[in-house]
């Protein structure tokens, strides 16, 4: 169960001349062109604080916004990841496209986006997705699938005839503001290309990003 990568041009530091965001956007576009399902999917890792100490938690979410500021995704603020981000507002998100032999990991602080940004995205969602967000108490236990379907039916009836379903008070977006971004490209003999970009912070925001090649 091992793939041999290579065949395309080697990942070079010059590919990051315009910054991390254009290259990540380009790789997502390449994954889209290759027919990869949900090329904007990313594994989001957060920290859960337990009596036994901090524990990692991960799940796949969809990137719904990409800019020089960071990566944006949406969720229920009362979900497990919402609780974890409230306690420890830092996360790591990994985009992986094995078909292309490429991967990108973004690490940094996470903040809630403004209600205005959330509303714009909410109104772009299909109505069924909006209803699902109202019906689900995300991450909470439920007795059966039938109970979940019943909750959706109740919400559907509640908003029947309502042209514009409102945003739930506990639902919205987060933006992961990168402190580090690592680009990975599979190569032959497992000598993969890894380039890490470290972004300036706060007072050093005018400083140039540090670009380093890492050993595989």
């Amino acid at each position: 169960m091992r793939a041999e990568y290579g065949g395309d041009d080697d990942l070079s530091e010059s590919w990051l001349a315009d910054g991390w965001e254009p290259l990540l956007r380009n790789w997502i576009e390449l994954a889209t062109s290759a027919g990869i399902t949900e090329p904007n999917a990313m594994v989001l890792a957060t920290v859960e604080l337990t009596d036994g100490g901090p524990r990692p938690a991960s799940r796949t979410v969809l990137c719904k916004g990409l800019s020089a500021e960071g990566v944006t995704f949406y969720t229920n603020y009362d979900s497990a990841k919402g609780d974890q981000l409230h306690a420890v507002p830092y996360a790591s998100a990994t985009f992986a496209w094995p078909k292309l032999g490429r991967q990108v990991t973004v690490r940094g602080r996470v903040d809630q986006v403004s209600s205005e940004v959330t509303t714009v995205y909410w109104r772009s969602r299909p109505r069924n997705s909006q209803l699902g967000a109202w019906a689900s108490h995300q991450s909470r236990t439920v007795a059966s699938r039938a109970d979940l379907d019943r909750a959706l039916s109740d919400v559907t009836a509640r908003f029947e005839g309502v042209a514009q379903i409102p945003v739930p008070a506990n639902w919205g977006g987060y933006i992961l503001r990168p402190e580090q971004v690592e680009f990975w490209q599979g190569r032959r003999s497992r000598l993969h290309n890894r380039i890490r970009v470290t972004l300036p912070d706060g007072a050093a925001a005018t400083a140039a990003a540090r670009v380093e090649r890492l050993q595989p």
Side-chain angles (χ1 to χ4, degrees), residues 95-162:
F95 298 82
W97 308 285
K99 182 178 179 179
L100 302 180
R102 298 186 183 194
Q103 174 177 289
V104 180
T105 297
V106 182
R107 301 171 59 194
R109 181 178 176 85
V110 178
D111 298 309
Q112 289 187 11
V113 303
S114 69
S115 59
E116 291 79 11
V117 169
T118 287
T119 299
V120 169
Y121 172 68
W122 173 264
R123 290 178 179 171
S124 75
R125 301 187 89 206
R127 185 178 180 89
N128 285 344
S129 296
Q130 294 177 347
L131 292 170
W134 272 97
S136 173
H137 298 284
Q138 194 174 38
S139 302
R140 303 301 185 261
T141 59
V142 64
S144 68
R145 176 71 203 195
D147 285 350
L148 191 58
D149 291 339
R150 191 176 303 111
L152 178 59
S153 296
D154 291 345
V155 166
T156 300
R158 173 183 173 185
F159 290 109
E160 185 177 1
V162 177

Side-chain angles (χ1 to χ4, degrees), residues 44 46-47 57 59 61 73-90 110 112 138-140 170 172-174:
L44 178 74
T46 53
V47 177
R59 77 290 290 160
V61 300
F73 60 96
Y74 293 83
T75 189
N76 186 313
Y77 288 142
D78 295 331
S79 65
K81 59 182 168 294
D83 290 342
Q84 291 154 15
L85 287 170
H86 178 75
V88 183
Y90 288 86
V110 178
Q112 289 187 11
Q138 194 174 38
S139 302
R140 303 301 185 261
N170 62 344
Y174 287 103

Side-chain angles (χ1 to χ4, degrees), residues 10-16 23 27 103-105 180-185 192-198 210-215:
D10 274 319
L11 171 62
S12 165
E13 289 85 345
S14 65
W15 293 15
L16 288 149
L23 183 55
W27 283 17
Q103 174 177 289
V104 180
T105 297
Q180 288 189 337
V181 183
E182 182 182 322
F183 292 84
W184 179 97
Q185 180 191 44
H192 309 308
N193 285 319
R194 295 175 60 192
I195 293 182
R196 181 178 63 200
V197 182
T198 302
R210 186 168 73 252
V211 179
E212 302 168 297
R213 181 173 289 272
L214 306 178
Q215 297 187 51

